[in-house]
Amino acid sequence: MNSTAELKNHRYQQGLIGNCAFLALVEQNTNVSWMCWPRFDSSFIFGSLLDKDRGGEFSLKPHSDSFNSHQSYLKNTNILRTRIETKEGAYDVIDFAPRFTLFERYHKPLMLFRKVKKVSGRPRIVAKCKPVGKYGEIVPGNLMGSNHIRYEGLENPVRLTTNAPLTYVQEEKPFYLDDDIYFVLSWGIPLEGPLETTFEDFFKRTEKYWQKWIEHCHLPQVFQNEVIRSALALKIHQYEDTGAIIASATTSLPEIPHEGRNWDYRFCWLRDTYYTLSAINSLGHFEEMEKYAHFIENIEIQNSKTYQPCYRIDGSTDLTELILPLDGYMGNKPVRIGNQAAEQIQHDAYGQILMALFKLYTDERVNAKTGRSLRLVEKALSYIEQYMTTPDNGVWEFRGKQALHSYALMFHWAGSAAARSVARKLGDQSLEQRAEAALKRSADLIEECYSKDKKAYTQAIGTEELDASILQLITIGYFHDKPPELAKELIAAVEKELMISPGFLVRYAHVDDFGLQKSAFLVCSFWYIEALAATGQEDKAEELLRHITATASNQVGLLAEDFDVENNSQWGNFPQTYSHVGVINCAYAIDKARKKPPFLS
């Protein structure tokens, strides 16, 4: 068990880098604690985050254990700088994953670039590179070349190219940092070309790429720094080859210590579709939105009966859940890979898909509408018709418990409305009539969730329990033709029952398979803030968003899944795209709610 002191003010003191082909977490001590190759959902090649002994290491630490460090990003990029300060001197470690345009395509190799730049004095460092395979089961042998070290026995050849003394790296001996040194770790194809000039060229190109990408973002007038960091984090969680966007880079980081709520989130959840595409659309990046929609189109081919809640990044369906013999983060077990949630029933997905397709059909930048997309609209609507009154496991993936959840009904309603709009645009009267009927039927079922006692819509038909997800009724537009007080009463009821600290909410207050929740689920905070902005309470919304982002972020502005308000600590998988999407959507909601010009604010 961890001590009380360890659990207080806990933060994932790590920065994230990536290039839409791989992701890596770098600790403030320079160690790469998490990196999966060759895909987001592959085994880690560095995984000390989950096991200090079996997870390998890639660190550029000072010789002395006494040092200070801090991290920052180069402005408007995913390039990370870690500053190390010792009595002997100071140095920076620059980490990035190359990404830039080359020959009219994006160059995003499976290569980790690291530079150690002397800042002052004459520091001594110890360079360690110990990759592993098959979640720590394979420890490769290593052979020294003329200017590289080869690691043999992994799925593909791994090579570390460096101008550092190879003997010192291989034997893990300290050496003085007299000049800048470079490291390029590659998977499969080794680095071609001179080390230093290639590094500096790739660095400049990658820096320019990210800064240009941000220049092309549409930004709100408020929370621009937070939106920029969230946008950059969201971008590199998209596996560009297929368009899938994963929920998180990590697995088995506990929602709260020692409760077993440890899950693998390196997959694409369809439940995130609407929120994610809303954020991307607000940012003005159509390419990412289109790629994600195409991913959804392609998984439709593989499963004609219904959609499962989550998929691998290649659209495959096997997410068999296994438990690994690893120590776990801070001793938290089990360590899981795969996710049993794929076997559950979550009927909200059909509506989310329809809303994603609606964005494409109504966006004039789309030059062609494929026949497959039209079939997908019809199929998703048919799923809504078929499963309208079939219980599911809900958005929170209750294991062994099903109901007619208001969250699913909400997306039946919204999806049917989206299908109706697409049908009208295409002049398909039959499809329009079917969508209209589904719209009315789902609205009737939503009203069955209304509790007169609580003056709120509940988690499911037949229960008085509240659920933070129902706040989305407000932002999704369900109350557009209803008295305004209904939405405000819903907010008040959620505040009373689910808020555990100003702005921080639990998902629900009832007992589940693991007991009562103790940590706040951050996306619920963002749903709440969006709802405030949508009901004319934008000042309160802005105040709370400022509070949440300042309180729950780590040293470089990254958010996890959960926040323990009692111990002021981040928990859950990290970084969590759901949380960063929430920041983006809240900022735009507040911006939209402002009636006066920004220069008068």
Side-chain angles (χ1 to χ4, degrees):
M1 282 289 200
N2 305 111
S3 67
T4 303
E6 284 182 297
L7 301 182
K8 282 189 177 295
N9 300 310
H10 168 269
R11 290 291 193 279
Y12 296 114
Q13 294 184 333
Q14 322 201 31
L16 175 75
I17 62 171
N19 63 359
C20 301
F22 78 95
L23 293 158
L25 290 174
V26 182
E27 295 178 311
Q28 288 200 133
N29 65 8
T30 76
N31 182 43
V32 179
S33 63
W34 186 257
M35 189 171 85
C36 298
W37 268 357
R39 304 190 341 176
F40 292 169
D41 55 357
S42 299
S43 166
F44 57 70
I45 189 169
F46 301 113
S48 60
L49 188 70
L50 295 183
D51 196 305
K52 298 295 183 185
D53 295 326
R54 303 184 67 186
E57 182 176 352
F58 190 4
S59 63
L60 305 166
K61 297 178 183 177
H63 173 57
S64 170
D65 290 334
S66 178
F67 64 92
N68 295 318
S69 67
H70 64 270
Q71 288 182 321
S72 60
Y73 282 104
L74 272 63
K75 188 172 179 61
N76 295 348
T77 75
N78 278 311
I79 300 173
L80 185 68
R81 177 195 288 120
T82 305
R83 171 68 56 89
I84 301 291
E85 297 172 336
T86 72
K87 291 182 179 179
E88 296 175 319
Y91 62 91
D92 286 339
V93 176
I94 308 296
D95 287 304
F96 71 96
R99 180 176 174 83
F100 50 86
T101 303
L102 184 67
F103 303 127
E104 299 181 350
R105 292 179 294 177
Y106 291 121
H107 187 55
K108 49 184 191 305
L110 293 176
M111 293 181 176
L112 172 62
F113 278 52
R114 315 196 76 184
K115 176 182 179 180
V116 185
K117 181 178 178 61
K118 186 173 73 171
V119 175
S120 65
R122 200 176 181 222
R124 283 188 296 170
I125 72 168
V126 179
K128 297 181 182 180
C129 186
K130 300 189 292 185
V132 296
K134 203 174 179 180
Y135 292 104
E137 289 185 20
I138 298 174
V139 178
N142 64 80
L143 296 173
M144 189 189 300
S146 59
N147 59 3
H148 67 267
I149 298 174
R150 296 194 308 275
Y151 300 92
E152 299 185 339
L154 299 172
E155 184 181 344
N156 264 307
V158 172
R159 179 181 291 200
L160 179 67
T161 303
T162 180
N163 63 343
L166 293 180
T167 300
Y168 295 155
V169 175
Q170 193 174 47
E171 297 181 6
E172 301 178 1
K173 290 185 174 180
F175 60 92
Y176 284 104
L177 182 63
D178 291 317
D179 300 296
D180 295 346
I181 54 175
Y182 299 83
F183 297 86
V184 176
L185 189 72
S186 59
W187 173 275
I189 300 174
L191 177 70
E192 297 177 355
L195 174 63
E196 294 182 32
T197 54
T198 301
F199 188 107
E200 296 298 341
D201 178 49
F202 278 27
F203 171 83
K204 290 176 183 176
R205 288 175 181 235
T206 300
E207 181 181 37
K208 184 177 179 181
Y209 169 82
W210 287 121
Q211 289 174 345
K212 283 288 184 184
W213 190 81
I214 289 298
E215 283 179 12
H216 292 149
C217 283
H218 170 69
L219 294 178
Q221 295 295 327
V222 292
F223 298 99
Q224 290 193 356
N225 288 331
E226 292 83 356
V227 167
I228 286 171
R229 181 49 49 203
S230 291
L232 287 165
L234 174 60
K235 168 66 176 174
I236 57 176
H237 279 79
Q238 182 170 49
Y239 187 65
E240 190 169 65
D241 189 55
T242 63
I245 298 177
I246 59 172
S248 181
T250 55
T251 178
S252 302
L253 301 184
E255 293 182 14
I256 204 75
H258 307 296
E259 284 194 356
R261 300 177 191 263
N262 310 346
W263 315 111
D264 190 348
Y265 275 9
R266 297 172 298 161
F267 311 114
C268 183
W269 264 260
L270 295 187
R271 69 170 184 217
D272 299 354
T273 302
Y274 165 68
Y275 312 108
T276 302
L277 289 182
S278 293
I280 294 172
N281 190 50
S282 294
L283 291 167
H285 278 288
F286 176 74
E287 181 181 19
E288 289 77 5
M289 183 173 74
E290 188 175 35
K291 283 181 180 294
Y292 190 27
H294 286 170
F295 169 76
I296 295 168
E297 287 183 319
N298 285 322
I299 63 171
E300 184 268 340
I301 299 171
Q302 301 180 33
N303 192 340
S304 59
K305 183 179 178 182
T306 187
Y307 289 100
Q308 62 185 47
C310 49
Y311 292 84
R312 290 194 176 274
I313 56 175
D314 60 3
S316 59
T317 58
D318 183 12
L319 276 72
T320 301
E321 193 172 291
L322 302 172
I323 294 178
L324 300 180
L326 298 175
D327 288 344
Y329 181 76
M330 296 177 68
N332 282 271
K333 296 182 179 181
V335 174
R336 294 183 172 97
I337 58 170
N339 201 307
Q340 189 181 329
E343 302 170 12
Q344 294 185 351
I345 304 298
Q346 291 182 29
H347 292 313
D348 60 276
Y350 324 131
Q352 298 231 23
I353 289 169
L354 283 166
M355 295 178 76
L357 292 171
F358 167 77
K359 288 182 181 295
L360 291 180
Y361 273 108
T362 56
D363 195 310
E364 294 301 326
R365 292 170 290 182
V366 181
N367 294 320
K369 317 296 189 298
T370 65
R372 187 197 304 164
S373 292
L374 178 57
R375 290 195 301 273
L376 186 54
V377 172
E378 294 171 333
K379 175 159 281 190
L381 180 61
S382 72
Y383 286 152
I384 288 177
E385 294 169 328
Q386 182 178 352
Y387 296 112
M388 182 84 72
T389 56
T390 303
D392 72 355
N393 297 97
V395 64
W396 308 124
E397 299 166 357
F398 297 118
R399 299 192 172 201
K401 175 186 173 183
Q402 293 188 340
L404 277 178
H405 287 100
S406 51
Y407 187 83
L409 295 173
M410 172 172 63
F411 278 101
H412 292 337
W413 177 85
S416 298
R420 182 181 62 179
S421 294
V422 171
R424 286 174 177 171
K425 186 175 182 67
L426 298 178
D428 189 327
Q429 292 186 352
S430 175
L431 186 64
E432 180 183 350
Q433 289 171 359
R434 287 172 54 196
E436 183 71 40
L439 184 72
K440 292 179 179 177
R441 189 180 178 202
S442 56
D444 290 341
L445 290 169
I446 290 172
E447 290 306 314
E448 289 188 37
C449 297
Y450 187 75
S451 166
K452 292 182 179 179
D453 290 340
K454 295 192 174 182
K455 294 184 178 180
Y457 293 81
T458 62
Q459 184 179 74
I461 292 178
T463 181
E464 288 289 297
E465 302 286 356
L466 296 189
D467 190 313
S469 67
I470 204 62
L471 286 167
Q472 284 293 297
L473 275 177
I474 297 170
T475 52
I476 215 168
Y478 183 74
F479 293 108
H480 75 283
D481 59 353
K482 294 178 173 55
E485 58 267 20
L486 278 178
K488 291 184 177 180
E489 287 171 351
L490 174 58
I491 291 173
V494 168
E495 288 173 340
K496 180 180 179 181
E497 193 161 313
L498 302 182
M499 188 175 291
I500 57 176
S501 182
F504 289 101
L505 286 74
V506 292
R507 290 169 282 191
Y508 43 83
H510 59 78
V511 174
D512 60 18
D513 295 343
F514 299 89
L516 288 172
Q517 296 173 79
K518 298 175 184 175
S519 59
F521 198 69
L522 286 181
V523 75
C524 298
S525 295
F526 299 127
W527 287 341
Y528 168 63
I529 291 168
E530 268 196 280
L532 290 174
T535 53
Q537 302 176 74
E538 59 270 19
D539 289 342
K540 183 177 180 181
E542 182 172 349
E543 178 186 345
L544 286 174
L545 183 56
R546 204 168 302 283
H547 171 63
I548 298 295
T549 53
T551 304
S553 298
N554 78 343
Q555 80 282 357
V556 289
L558 296 175
L559 293 163
E561 178 186 19
D562 298 85
F563 191 76
D564 180 357
V565 297
E566 201 171 306
N567 290 309
N568 194 39
S569 297
Q570 287 184 327
W571 294 105
N573 282 303
F574 170 87
Q576 181 79 353
T577 56
Y578 223 19
S579 298
H580 284 287
V581 163
V583 172
I584 295 168
N585 288 335
C586 283
Y588 283 104
I590 294 167
D591 206 36
K592 182 180 177 181
R594 296 291 184 200
K595 300 292 193 295
K596 56 187 177 183
F599 57 83
L600 295 178
S601 298

